[in-house]
Amino acid sequence: MDGFLHDLRYALRGLRRSPGFAAAAVLTLALGIGLNAALFSVVNGVLLRPLPYRDPGGLVRLYHVHPEQAPDGGPFSPQDLDDLRAADTGFQSLAAWHYQPGETGLNLAGGGAEPRRVEVAFVSRELLPMLGVPAALGRTLRDDENQPGSDRVVVLSDAFWRSRFNADPGVVGRTVILDGEPWTVAGVMPPSFAFPAREAEAWAPLSRIGENDLPHTRGLRWMEVVGRLRPGVTPAAALPRVDAVLRRLAEGYGDSNDGWTRARVQTLRDAVVGPVRPALLVLMGTVLLVLAVACANLANLLLARASARRREIAIRTALGATRGRLVRQMLTESLVLALLGGALGLALAGTGVRALLALSAGTIPRGAEVGVDGRVALFALLLSLLTAGVFGLLPALRAVDGATGETLRDGGRGGTERRGAGLRAALVLAQTAAAMVLLVGAGLLVHSFWRLVRVDPGFRPANVLLVSFDIPFYRYDSPRKLNDYRDELLRRVRELPGVVAAGAAKTQPLRGGGEPYVFTLPGRSGPGATLNLSAGTHLATPGYFSALGIPVLRGRVFEPADDRRDAPLVLVVNQSAARRYWPGADPVGERVEMNGAPFTVIGVVGDVRTEGFATPPGPAVYFPFSLAPRVATRIFVRTRGDPAALAPAVRRAIHQVDPQQPIGEVRTLQSAMADTVAQPRFFTLLLAVFGSVAVLLAALGLYGVVSYSVTRRTAEIGIRMALGAQPHQVVGLELRRSARPTLAGIVVGAAGALLLSRLLASLLFEVRPADPATFAAAAAVLAVVALAAAWLPARRAAKIDPTSALRAD
């Protein structure tokens, strides 16, 4: 311990004498360790921590699978779920909920504040007890409150309680007006509770969803399901039992369940964090590579520092210091640097975490559970100790390796450069290889994201304002009232100066939400006789296609005369539906039937991507909003100028019709589209930043190595120039010296990038993991940066005055 304390004091004195070196080393380490600690905080909160529910290992998600309509699985119908509950499938209980962000909720009025839409998740009586999370204030829902007549009870989220009720603890038991009816606030959930989604602001009994909201038929699947397995039952063991029940239902209810014969059972953890796990692990690997590049830089700094201290070390050796004693002393200095860098990095990690969560724009699940805690601090400490060994050991061994007598005779010159050149070249190779790996990964994601956002969505979003709200059904409680109210809103909006066109629909492009309907084609038999749209039926008003700029390919679209309940039944199909069901023919004028009612196809429009940029459009049908009016409404307003400037006028126009109408979001359609690619944009940005940092560090490392080489070889360069070497020859010599490890690093990095690209495959869109253009571009960028980094000190070497160099030696 005495020896360690002596080494520690000596290291601190040495660093105090070299403040520039100490600052560069500590800041470099702080950057690397801080990035790692910040990202580990996210990985820890999202992937490593157990879900914040009671016995989370027994919780699973169930999905109803159809090979064509829902190959990855979807929700269940109420009747199918009841049959699963009645069967022995290995579950203690099955719970259901219904929630669609932006579409599911209740209108809140009163309290002196502006009316607003509350995002409500409707949950069955089993759900909250199954999760086992107690309310932070008050209580959760009781069993007897999930039945008509006693179900006007709501539990609030912590965020909504704080924003709307100013964190008033007296809100428990208070009556609030939701959809024109008095509801009782039962409790407030803790901040970490975000099931089934972070957007949920309240939870209400599932029994509040009646037949007028969503028909309770076996063919309409809208209930999401989570279950708790019995002890000893695994998801793999439960799946065959569930499948057996679903096959019996398909045999007994062929009209509604044909093809719905399988389920998918997934742990709740995988359901929550599975989509982001690959990306987070890749990002964690990238910041470790950034740290490795930083460590290589520091190793080169320590090599240069050790070279300058070569004579000191030789004298200490001559006076009896052992090799192990000297290595220990130099490693103590590395440890001090690493701990200082780790402490500063941990301090920066808190800011880094907040920045990551802000950049993610809510795309990281369990974001409320992410923070710098004891596990993150331990990770930073272990990383500091590891980096101390990584960047300190080789320079320390190199510093004490050599002939003491030779060092004392030559004064510490010449031999150091020769002995350390190989190690420095190896470090440059390692830095370049790591930078190449990160640059290829960033290039692949950038290329993928560029292709994603350049996909034609099928409409023209420029100059379009989106207004989202739900019509209060308690005031407009009949189809006629709903339609009249919606028509009046659209009329007022269309009369505003600067409005080119306006239309409404229940759904928003790229956000899904289409309804499941089955149409039959008269006179046909076999598979082509049924137009089965699991989520491809959309309700729209006249003006909708014009407002969105959806091209009309044949026939016409809806006119005001079509948007009446007593008008002839008409519909519009998209191009995919026309190709599939009327190949080589014009579907305009053709008849289709739904529930025995005949519809006439009046037009064909272009395909619109309804489920996101990455999902190709499938067959879709549009029919007039008046035929099946819904409270969920999206108004699209095409303007001559900036649509955002028209937002206040649109709000006023709506409130002139009904001052109590809650309005959800009013934003440009382009900004709403940007949200749909927020997650790939976030991961692309992060990897691009990490790749750029790695390239910068590698360039600085190469610059430092070449600069050090030039400084140590001043006499040699002076002799070469005295013997007739030209400046361009000196520059070429130095560039060739640096090119060998750089090119080798690019080759090694390309091999490593091939492995990384396979991990990125699930994150790429229309880009091959081994995309040659990306690999070539990354290699070219890295080569140019390395050439620039080496050229600057090489150019300085070419300006050496031979006389001054020889006189100094």
Side-chain angles (χ1 to χ4, degrees):
M1 180 57 69
D2 288 341
F4 173 73
L5 293 177
H6 172 78
D7 291 342
L8 184 61
R9 289 191 294 270
Y10 186 86
L12 291 173
R13 285 199 304 271
L15 293 177
R16 198 161 47 241
R17 287 194 299 267
S18 305
F21 164 78
V26 170
L27 290 176
T28 301
L29 276 175
L31 175 64
I33 293 175
L35 284 176
N36 276 272
L39 200 55
F40 179 77
S41 298
V42 178
V43 171
N44 177 48
V46 176
L47 301 183
L48 301 183
R49 280 183 180 173
L51 294 177
Y53 309 128
R54 176 176 56 84
D55 186 20
L59 296 173
V60 297
R61 277 290 314 268
L62 273 74
Y63 304 89
H64 205 169
V65 176
H66 189 286
E68 295 180 359
Q69 300 180 37
D72 294 326
F76 290 80
S77 69
Q79 290 81 358
D80 288 347
L81 179 58
D82 288 341
D83 290 332
L84 284 176
R85 285 174 171 151
D88 180 13
T89 53
F91 289 92
Q92 283 184 349
S93 60
L94 293 171
W97 77 89
H98 177 68
Y99 175 66
Q100 291 180 310
E103 296 187 17
T104 311
L106 298 168
N107 291 324
L108 172 66
E114 181 181 341
R116 60 157 292 182
R117 184 72 170 170
V118 184
E119 294 280 311
V120 179
F122 295 92
V123 299
S124 69
R125 62 181 179 82
E126 302 91 352
L127 183 65
L128 296 180
M130 178 187 293
L131 299 178
V133 179
L137 286 177
R139 60 175 177 83
T140 60
L141 303 173
R142 296 194 306 259
D143 282 358
D144 61 333
E145 291 172 337
N146 215 301
Q147 53 188 359
S150 59
D151 53 4
R152 289 203 300 270
V153 183
V154 66
V155 178
L156 307 179
S157 72
D158 178 84
F160 181 64
W161 169 61
R162 293 180 185 278
S163 63
R164 182 72 181 198
F165 298 98
N166 297 316
D168 179 10
V171 73
V172 175
R174 184 182 301 177
T175 298
V176 296
I177 304 301
L178 295 171
D179 275 3
E181 298 180 311
W183 289 58
T184 301
V185 177
V188 179
M189 296 303 288
S192 60
F193 189 78
F195 189 92
R198 64 176 181 85
E199 295 91 349
E201 297 176 314
W203 294 265
L206 189 62
S207 59
R208 292 300 304 178
I209 297 182
E211 289 284 348
N212 289 332
D213 301 301
L214 283 170
H216 290 48
T217 62
R218 194 177 289 273
L220 189 61
R221 295 167 176 84
W222 52 272
M223 284 187 171
E224 307 286 347
V225 176
V226 64
R228 180 175 290 282
L229 293 166
R230 290 202 298 261
V233 179
T234 65
L239 181 59
R241 303 184 190 183
V242 176
D243 284 349
V245 175
L246 297 179
R247 284 194 296 270
R248 290 199 300 271
L249 294 178
E251 294 171 358
Y253 304 96
D255 292 343
S256 59
N257 286 47
D258 184 35
W260 296 91
T261 57
R262 294 177 48 244
R264 184 164 68 93
V265 180
Q266 183 182 33
T267 66
L268 186 58
R269 171 191 284 276
D270 287 343
V272 172
V273 305
V276 300
R277 179 185 287 115
L280 286 180
L281 293 180
V282 166
L283 288 177
M284 193 71 224
T286 63
V287 293
L288 287 172
L289 281 177
V290 171
L291 182 60
V293 175
C295 286
N297 263 356
L298 288 176
N300 270 322
L301 283 175
L302 287 176
L303 276 174
R305 181 176 170 81
S307 297
R309 297 168 58 188
R310 186 82 176 181
R311 184 173 178 80
E312 169 204 335
I313 294 169
I315 293 174
R316 295 180 64 186
T317 302
L319 294 175
T322 65
R323 189 169 183 268
R325 181 73 180 81
L326 292 172
V327 169
R328 188 182 72 188
Q329 192 274 316
M330 299 188 75
L331 280 177
T332 301
E333 184 174 300
S334 300
L335 179 63
V336 170
L337 289 173
L339 291 178
L340 289 174
L344 181 58
L346 187 61
L348 295 174
T351 302
V353 167
R354 290 190 291 273
L356 286 174
L357 294 178
L359 284 173
S360 71
T363 61
I364 296 181
R366 308 181 66 187
E369 302 172 54
V370 173
V372 178
D373 57 11
R375 185 182 289 184
V376 177
L378 179 61
F379 172 80
L381 175 61
L382 294 176
L383 205 58
S384 300
L385 297 175
L386 178 63
T387 54
V390 168
F391 74 77
L393 183 59
L394 284 177
L397 292 175
R398 176 63 64 184
V400 300
D401 182 25
T404 302
E406 178 189 344
T407 302
L408 293 175
R409 281 193 303 271
D410 67 15
R413 299 186 302 270
T416 301
E417 166 61 23
R418 290 189 298 271
R419 283 189 290 267
L423 179 56
R424 282 189 289 274
L427 290 173
V428 169
L429 187 154
Q431 285 180 302
T432 307
M436 178 67 180
V437 170
L438 294 182
L439 206 54
V440 168
L444 288 172
L445 284 185
V446 169
H447 190 186
S448 170
F449 185 73
W450 181 79
R451 284 185 172 273
L452 184 66
V453 296
R454 288 182 63 85
V455 166
D456 182 8
F459 57 93
R460 294 184 290 110
N463 296 98
V464 176
L465 187 71
L466 166 66
V467 186
S468 302
F469 57 89
D470 281 11
I471 297 175
F473 187 72
Y474 59 91
R475 289 207 304 277
Y476 306 97
D477 54 0
S478 69
R480 182 184 60 79
K481 291 181 180 179
L482 276 173
N483 289 329
D484 289 347
Y485 176 58
R486 185 181 294 108
D487 289 345
E488 180 62 17
L489 292 180
L490 286 171
R491 186 185 69 79
R492 294 291 185 99
V493 170
R494 288 176 183 135
E495 290 176 350
L496 293 174
V499 172
V500 176
K506 179 202 167 190
T507 57
Q508 176 183 333
L510 303 175
R511 290 284 186 89
E515 297 188 0
Y517 284 91
V518 177
F519 298 87
T520 58
L521 305 178
R524 297 193 192 182
S525 60
T530 302
L531 205 162
N532 198 332
L533 303 173
S534 60
T537 306
H538 305 274
L539 310 173
T541 68
Y544 169 79
F545 299 99
S546 299
L548 281 179
I550 300 173
V552 180
L553 305 180
R554 286 189 293 277
R556 64 176 180 86
V557 291
F558 305 132
E559 298 174 351
D562 301 314
D563 197 29
R564 300 195 317 266
R565 292 184 63 85
D566 59 350
L569 300 178
V570 296
L571 52 80
V572 173
V573 300
N574 72 344
Q575 192 172 19
S576 290
R579 287 172 177 169
R580 178 176 298 185
Y581 296 101
W582 294 276
D586 186 353
V588 174
E590 294 287 340
R591 292 294 189 92
V592 299
E593 294 183 357
M594 182 181 66
N595 296 330
F599 286 76
T600 302
V601 178
I602 61 172
V604 179
V605 296
D607 289 340
V608 173
R609 298 205 175 219
T610 58
E611 303 296 326
F613 280 105
T615 304
V621 166
Y622 302 84
F623 59 83
F625 218 147
S626 60
L627 297 185
R630 302 284 188 265
V631 296
T633 303
R634 307 287 182 269
I635 291 181
F636 302 92
V637 186
R638 179 166 293 280
T639 65
R640 293 189 181 88
D642 179 13
L646 202 63
V650 171
R651 282 183 175 273
R652 287 193 298 270
I654 292 174
H655 284 150
Q656 286 171 0
V657 181
D658 185 352
Q660 296 302 309
Q661 171 64 61
I663 300 176
E665 59 179 4
V666 181
R667 60 192 306 195
T668 66
L669 186 56
Q670 287 179 315
S671 69
M673 289 173 60
D675 285 351
T676 66
V677 293
Q679 191 174 96
R681 182 176 61 241
F682 169 64
F683 291 127
T684 300
L685 177 63
L686 281 191
L687 197 54
V689 169
F690 297 154
S692 301
V693 170
V695 171
L696 176 62
L697 289 175
L700 291 175
L702 181 60
Y703 175 85
V705 167
V706 178
S707 293
Y708 174 78
S709 174
V710 168
T711 302
R712 299 298 294 175
R713 295 170 48 250
T714 298
E716 174 197 330
I717 295 172
I719 293 172
R720 288 178 180 272
M721 298 191 71
L723 294 176
Q726 297 300 310
H728 71 272
Q729 292 175 315
V730 174
V731 172
L733 175 65
E734 297 303 322
L735 291 180
R736 284 193 296 273
R737 282 174 176 265
S738 64
R740 285 192 290 269
T742 300
L743 293 177
I746 289 175
V747 172
V748 173
L754 283 174
L755 298 177
L756 172 68
S757 64
R758 292 177 184 157
L759 300 177
L760 290 174
S762 62
L763 306 176
L764 301 178
F765 175 75
E766 293 186 354
V767 175
R768 290 185 299 157
D771 179 49
T774 302
F775 275 73
V781 168
L782 200 52
V784 169
V785 171
L787 179 65
W791 180 78
L792 292 173
R795 183 170 173 269
R796 189 174 71 245
K799 295 181 178 181
I800 291 176
D801 180 9
T803 305
S804 301
L806 294 174
R807 186 182 302 117
D809 190 56

